[in-house]
Amino acid sequence: MRYTCAVRQCGATLLISLVMLVVLTLFALTGFNLSSVNLKIAGNFQQQRFVEATIQQAIEQFVSLPNGFSATPAGQTYTVNGLTVTVSAPQCNYYTTSAGDSAVILPGGATIGTEDTQWQVRAIATDSFGGAATAIVQGVQLKLLLGNCAPLT
């Protein structure tokens, strides 16, 4: 049995099949690229949250220091979760005499009392994964002895 085809239709099925195969391949590649980009975005977002949590942990360590907030505060450097976090010297923003407290004047003229203080703590870390620097500024309110807070003017 011999097959015959019209002059214009010979190979049309093969050509249409190849075009459809190319189109389906392009759809598959596009889907793969989109999912790859979304995976990178999710990974970057997760790494950013990790760095922020690490910085927050370093700030909590700094706040828990007994001498972190004084008339001459100093910054600290911590290594937390494998990242180096630099906490700058805190800045005193505001202070007021503590409610219900009264200052006591000692013999010799020294005054003892407390004041409510508000500080600004800034910490920064560089992500080892992508090299991006992340900074967090946090406010801290503390009750301290008189004279530990000198706000910037």
Side-chain angles (χ1 to χ4, degrees):
M1 176 186 252
R2 186 172 173 187
Y3 294 101
T4 60
C5 61
V7 175
R8 294 188 172 248
Q9 293 184 359
C10 256
T13 305
L14 178 62
L15 183 62
I16 290 174
S17 298
L18 287 175
V19 169
M20 292 300 289
L21 184 61
V22 168
V23 169
L24 289 174
T25 303
L26 288 176
F27 279 145
L29 287 175
T30 302
F32 177 75
N33 286 337
L34 285 176
S35 65
S36 177
V37 167
N38 287 338
L39 184 62
K40 288 178 184 178
I41 290 171
N44 289 340
F45 186 75
Q46 183 179 9
Q47 186 66 20
Q48 181 182 6
R49 293 297 169 250
F50 170 75
V51 172
E52 288 174 359
T54 299
I55 293 172
Q56 193 64 43
Q57 187 175 353
I59 289 174
E60 294 298 326
Q61 286 180 6
F62 181 81
V63 169
S64 67
L65 290 176
N67 59 352
F69 300 90
S70 63
T72 56
Q76 296 283 333
T77 300
Y78 299 96
T79 300
V80 181
N81 298 329
L83 293 177
T84 301
V85 181
T86 304
V87 180
S88 302
Q91 293 179 337
C92 181
N93 293 332
Y94 176 77
Y95 71 94
T96 184
T97 304
S98 297
D101 281 351
S102 59
V104 176
I105 300 175
L106 299 174
T111 305
I112 295 180
T114 60
E115 57 192 7
D116 293 322
T117 61
Q118 293 179 353
W119 299 78
Q120 178 177 306
V121 180
R122 177 180 168 82
I124 189 167
T126 301
D127 178 15
S128 58
F129 181 70
T134 303
I136 291 180
V137 178
Q138 179 175 325
V140 178
Q141 184 171 350
L142 299 168
K143 184 177 283 210
L144 298 173
L145 292 175
L146 290 173
N148 283 316
C149 182
L152 296 175
T153 55

Coordinates of all heavy atoms in Angstrom, one line a residue, residues 1 8 10 24 32 50 57-58 65 77 100-101 136 138:
M1 N 0.8 -1.2 0.0 CA 0.0 0.0 0.0 C 0.9 1.2 0.0 O 1.8 1.3 0.8 CB -0.9 -0.1 1.2 CG -1.7 1.1 1.4 SD -2.6 1.0 3.0 CE -4.1 0.6 2.5
R8 N 0.6 20.4 -0.9 CA 0.8 21.4 0.1 C 0.7 20.8 1.5 O 1.0 21.4 2.5 CB -0.3 22.5 0.0 CG -0.1 23.2 -1.3 CD -1.0 24.4 -1.3 NE -0.7 25.2 -2.5 CZ -0.1 26.4 -2.4 NH1 0.1 27.0 -1.2 NH2 0.2 27.1 -3.4
C10 N 2.0 17.7 2.6 CA 3.1 16.8 3.0 C 4.0 17.3 4.1 O 4.5 18.4 4.0 CB 4.0 16.4 1.8 SG 3.6 14.8 1.1
L24 N 5.7 24.2 24.1 CA 5.6 23.6 25.4 C 7.0 23.7 26.1 O 7.0 23.8 27.3 CB 5.2 22.1 25.2 CG 3.7 21.9 24.8 CD1 3.4 20.5 24.6 CD2 2.8 22.5 25.9
F32 N 10.1 27.2 35.1 CA 11.3 26.9 35.8 C 12.0 28.1 36.3 O 12.4 28.3 37.4 CB 12.3 26.0 35.0 CG 13.6 25.7 35.8 CD1 13.6 24.8 36.8 CD2 14.7 26.3 35.4 CE1 14.8 24.5 37.5 CE2 15.9 26.1 36.1 CZ 15.9 25.1 37.1
F50 N 16.9 36.6 59.4 CA 17.9 35.9 60.3 C 18.8 37.0 60.8 O 19.1 37.0 62.0 CB 18.6 34.8 59.5 CG 19.8 34.3 60.3 CD1 19.7 33.5 61.3 CD2 21.1 34.7 59.9 CE1 20.8 33.0 62.0 CE2 22.2 34.2 60.5 CZ 22.0 33.3 61.6
Q57 N 19.2 40.2 69.0 CA 19.8 39.5 70.1 C 21.0 40.2 70.6 O 21.2 40.3 71.9 CB 20.2 38.1 69.6 CG 20.6 37.2 70.7 CD 20.9 35.8 70.2 OE1 20.6 35.4 69.1 NE2 21.4 34.9 71.1
A58 N 21.8 40.8 69.8 CA 23.0 41.6 70.2 C 22.5 42.8 71.0 O 23.2 43.2 72.0 CB 23.9 42.0 69.0
L65 N 23.7 44.8 79.9 CA 25.0 45.2 80.6 C 24.7 46.2 81.6 O 24.0 47.1 81.4 CB 26.0 45.8 79.6 CG 26.6 44.9 78.5 CD1 27.5 45.7 77.6 CD2 27.5 43.8 79.2
T77 N 31.0 45.2 70.4 CA 31.0 44.3 69.3 C 30.7 42.9 69.8 O 31.4 42.4 70.7 CB 32.3 44.3 68.5 OG1 32.5 45.7 68.0 CG2 32.2 43.5 67.3
G100 N 7.5 59.9 91.9 CA 7.5 59.3 93.3 C 8.8 59.2 93.9 O 8.9 58.9 95.1
D101 N 9.9 59.5 93.2 CA 11.2 59.5 93.8 C 11.6 61.0 94.2 O 11.2 61.9 93.5 CB 12.3 59.0 92.9 CG 12.2 57.5 92.8 OD1 11.5 56.9 93.7 OD2 12.9 56.9 92.0
I136 N 19.6 48.3 62.7 CA 18.4 48.5 63.5 C 18.6 49.5 64.6 O 19.7 49.5 65.2 CB 18.0 47.1 64.2 CG1 17.6 46.1 63.1 CG2 16.9 47.3 65.2 CD1 17.2 44.8 63.6
Q138 N 16.8 51.0 68.0 CA 15.8 50.7 69.0 C 15.8 51.6 70.1 O 16.9 52.1 70.6 CB 16.1 49.3 69.5 CG 15.1 48.8 70.5 CD 15.3 47.4 70.9 OE1 15.6 46.5 70.1 NE2 15.0 47.0 72.1

